[in-house]
Amino acid sequence: MTLDAFLALLVYAFVTSITPGPNNFMLLASGVNFGFAKTIPHMLGISIGFLALLLAVGFGLGAVLAAFPVLHTGLKIAGGVYLLYLASKIAMSRSLSGKGEAKARPMRFVDAAAFQWVNPKAWVMAITAMAVYAIPEHPFLSVALVSLAFTVVNLPSVSVWAGFGTALRGFLSDPVRLKWFNIAMGVLLAATLWPMLR
């Protein structure tokens, strides 16, 4: 991979990692509801889970899904149902962490990592990155470079969303504002399904 191609890959990784999508909306909501420190396992889960997805796609899973469309459809349905479940949980949240809502908790590392496997945006990012930037003549090296680019860029990018949410905690400590913020985040998260349904 040439230096120019690697720099283009870094730009692609940055743009796709920092733009709105299911992960970033959930991190924004988690930053507001639980604070930055309690959202760190969620952020790490996204980065490690996406790295695993990238490697799997790069080493053949994307081809398997292309060969068996029913698996791809099943994955989309499972992802859509789970995403709607998460959207409803966020929309129904009514208090900041530590203020009386005992059942509420931030997403755990394992949950966030597993979510990447049903996250429509993550699949599009991984398949596109491997299709455009992986080099068939050097499959192992190019898959490793694509994965490295996303690993370097992803965690700082998603951290911005959790940090922004944390910065809003003071403003959203008013229960009415928090209620409407969480409803808006739930609706936006559900709306990320639209590209998958088209």
Side-chain angles (χ1 to χ4, degrees), residues 1 8 25 35 41 44 47 50-52 56 58 61-62 72 76 78 110 120 135 145 152 170 180 182 198:
M1 185 180 295
F25 286 136
L44 292 173
S47 293
F50 186 65
L51 172 61
L61 185 59
H72 187 241
K76 285 170 72 172
V110 172
I135 302 166
L145 285 173
V152 166
W180 288 109
N182 283 334
R198 289 188 303 179

Side-chain angles (χ1 to χ4, degrees), residues 75-90:
L75 189 64
K76 285 170 72 172
I77 291 169
V81 168
Y82 187 57
L83 202 124
L84 289 174
Y85 165 76
L86 292 173
S88 70
K89 294 281 284 180
I90 290 171

Side-chain angles (χ1 to χ4, degrees), residues 156-177:
S157 297
V158 299
S159 298
V160 167
W161 287 82
F164 185 55
T166 302
L168 290 174
R169 279 176 69 86
F171 176 73
L172 294 173
S173 61
D174 173 25
V176 174
R177 288 184 194 142

Side-chain angles (χ1 to χ4, degrees), residues 28-33 93-97 99 164-185:
L28 178 63
S30 185
V32 166
N33 288 287
S93 181
R94 293 291 181 262
S95 66
L96 295 176
S97 174
K99 295 192 176 181
F164 185 55
T166 302
L168 290 174
R169 279 176 69 86
F171 176 73
L172 294 173
S173 61
D174 173 25
V176 174
R177 288 184 194 142
L178 181 65
K179 170 187 167 183
W180 288 109
F181 171 81
N182 283 334
I183 289 171
M185 288 298 98

Side-chain angles (χ1 to χ4, degrees), residues 97-110:
S97 174
K99 295 192 176 181
E101 195 168 307
K103 287 185 178 180
R105 64 168 176 77
M107 187 174 268
R108 296 175 302 192
F109 172 87
V110 172

